[in-house]
């Protein structure tokens, strides 16, 4: 199943500048594996060394935050969209 993945500006160096790419998978973990296959190195920016979602990266399947769903086991609906959104922090 083909899925659309929205790529934030900071990770577009891995996708040749593309803001949106296609990946395959029925779960978020499968989609990330597919993304890594086509865009080597991007998975390490999303997951830590233990394979867990990095603290400052938010992933959404359609409009649902996967942290409140099934995490990496979250099912991807047909023609679903995965959005990678880095957390923004700062200020004084």
């Amino acid at each position: 199943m083909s899925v659309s993945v929205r790529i934030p500006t900071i990770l577009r160096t891995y996708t040749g500048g593309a803001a949106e790419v296609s990946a395959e998978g029925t779960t978020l973990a499968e989609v990330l594996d597919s993304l890594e296959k086509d865009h080597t190195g991007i998975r390490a920016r999303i997951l830590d060394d233990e394979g867990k979602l990095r603290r400052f990266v938010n992933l959404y399947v359609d409009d649902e935050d996967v942290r409140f769903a099934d995490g990496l086991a979250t099912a991807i609906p047909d023609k679903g969209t995965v959005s990678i959104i880095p957390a923004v922090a700062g200020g004084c």
Side-chain angles (χ1 to χ4, degrees):
M1 175 171 46
S2 184
V3 177
S4 178
V5 182
R6 294 183 181 146
I7 307 295
T9 304
I10 196 167
L11 296 180
R12 290 182 191 163
T13 55
Y14 295 95
T15 61
E20 191 165 319
V21 297
S22 293
E24 298 290 325
T26 58
T27 66
L28 182 56
E30 291 175 1
V31 168
L32 293 178
D33 288 343
S34 173
L35 196 61
E36 174 67 18
K37 188 174 121 188
D38 294 336
H39 308 285
T40 304
I42 197 167
R43 190 171 193 267
R45 300 292 304 270
I46 300 167
L47 303 178
D48 65 18
D49 292 339
E50 297 176 2
K52 296 179 182 175
L53 188 61
R54 290 191 180 277
R55 185 174 174 191
F56 297 108
V57 176
N58 300 307
L59 290 179
Y60 291 83
V61 172
D62 291 334
D63 292 329
E64 187 171 359
D65 187 337
V66 301
R67 292 181 201 271
F68 301 105
D70 292 327
L72 295 175
T74 300
I76 309 295
D78 189 30
K79 299 181 182 175
T81 300
V82 173
S83 299
I84 304 168
I85 301 173
V88 177
C92 50

